[in-house]
Amino acid sequence: MRTTVMESKRIVVKVGTSTLTHPNGHLHLGRMEALVRQLSDLQAEGRQLVLVTSGAVGAGMGRLGMTQRPSETRLKQALAAVGQGLLMHRYEALFAEYGRAVGQMLLTRQDFEDAHRREIAAGVFDQLLAWGVIPIVNENDSVSNEQIRVGDNDTLAARVAAMIGADLLILLSDVDGLYTEDPRGKTGLSPLAEVATDDDLEAMAGGAGTATGTGGMITKVQAARICAGAGIRMVLANGGAPGVLRSILAGETVGTFFGEVAGI
Ligand code: GLU
């Protein structure tokens, strides 16, 4: 139920490249600013926030004047090495304006699969949150190849949410939510307000993805399944909508809520 969303204390918010960067790869400062302001406000209400951010590769492209996202892993890793610092620099400056401190957590698949490493990472998250620091998470792209990476930040965010025992995961994308059919090029369709994770979500998600992000809709459904397995609620909403986080936490019907009938 949406009322359980309002009560969430420990919240992971994931924001995708399509929300954070312009199509040419440059950081979308207006969106970042709005996001940081809302996160700071929510923290002031006594909630604990973790931000999972994409955009390292995109920001690296913008910095080096590349307009085409390369497909070769080594190039993306090198671009992430350039862009991750730019991303953090920007977040650090924006959060500092609201008197908030941030901490960078770069993770890879082994940090979830190896119990010892998982425990170490979870302990650091707990410490940061206890200090009131906002952890900013991304995959450690520069040293992660196909064999050892999570691969997309929707899954990464869901795994972080499970690792730290979050109450809620919010995925911000460039779509308004989950639709029963691909909404692109069609008018008059609205996203589903609520879906149960025992529905055939994969069929609904088929092809209805975003043009610029890594994951598309399938990874969002996968994230919903990880959350359902861990008893975590999830909302998928449009990161470009003004005040979207505030609206979600106020219990408004924004985006798609996952988990209702499954009893979460
Ligand atoms: N970690 C990648 C980046 O920061 C993005 C992965 C994703 O968008 O899912 O560019």
Side-chain angles (χ1 to χ4, degrees):
M1 286 242 311
R2 294 273 181 169
T3 46
T4 58
V5 168
M6 295 166 70
E7 289 153 11
S8 303
K9 169 121 173 76
R10 191 171 269 208
I11 305 164
V12 177
V13 176
K14 180 261 174 180
V15 61
T17 303
S18 53
T19 302
L20 286 175
T21 55
H22 292 284
N24 64 7
H26 288 285
L27 289 173
H28 197 310
L29 299 177
R31 292 254 178 85
M32 290 181 80
E33 229 160 35
L35 177 71
V36 166
R37 200 174 327 118
Q38 291 177 77
L39 289 169
S40 301
D41 263 344
L42 292 173
Q43 202 200 32
E45 290 174 2
R47 304 185 202 259
Q48 295 182 330
L49 277 314
V50 173
L51 176 62
V52 176
T53 183
S54 304
V57 175
M61 285 169 54
R63 184 70 180 81
L64 298 186
M66 283 186 200
T67 48
Q68 207 81 331
R69 194 181 173 95
S71 53
E72 199 185 317
T73 301
R74 191 168 50 94
L75 300 187
K76 283 191 279 195
Q77 288 177 297
L79 284 170
V82 175
Q84 180 62 30
L86 295 170
L87 259 189
M88 280 310 290
H89 175 70
R90 189 52 62 191
Y91 279 122
E92 156 59 34
L94 290 172
F95 274 109
E97 280 183 38
Y98 299 97
R100 301 293 190 283
V102 298
Q104 176 178 256
M105 293 291 282
L106 295 179
L107 303 173
T108 196
R109 206 171 68 204
Q110 282 172 308
D111 294 309
F112 302 98
E113 290 181 353
D114 178 312
H116 183 55
R117 290 180 61 156
R118 195 168 59 234
E119 206 178 302
I120 293 171
V124 177
F125 274 108
D126 278 341
Q127 185 58 63
L128 290 169
L129 292 170
W131 278 335
V133 173
I134 298 178
I136 300 188
V137 185
N138 197 357
E139 179 131 39
N140 196 355
D141 290 317
S142 301
V143 293
S144 307
N145 60 19
E146 271 82 4
Q147 282 78 49
I148 60 162
R149 68 181 181 174
V150 176
D152 72 88
N153 277 11
D154 297 322
T155 309
L156 180 76
R159 288 186 162 197
V160 167
M163 176 198 265
I164 65 168
D167 304 305
L168 174 68
L169 169 64
I170 300 176
L171 296 182
L172 295 179
S173 180
D174 61 354
V175 289
D176 291 337
L178 182 69
Y179 293 78
T180 48
E181 55 182 298
D182 191 338
R184 284 175 294 188
K186 301 185 186 118
T187 51
L189 294 182
S190 325
L192 296 158
E194 293 183 359
V195 289
T197 37
D198 45 11
D199 283 350
D200 190 2
L201 303 178
E202 283 75 5
M204 296 184 207
T210 68
T212 47
T214 301
M217 198 55 76
I218 285 291
T219 55
K220 292 170 178 57
V221 166
Q222 282 164 358
R225 295 220 179 277
I226 293 171
C227 285
I232 300 164
R233 301 157 212 122
M234 187 184 111
V235 174
L236 167 65
N238 195 325
V244 62
L245 290 179
R246 258 195 309 273
S247 305
I248 292 170
L249 270 309
E252 292 170 23
T253 306
V254 178
T256 302
F257 174 74
F258 291 75
E260 175 71 359
V261 182
I264 293 174

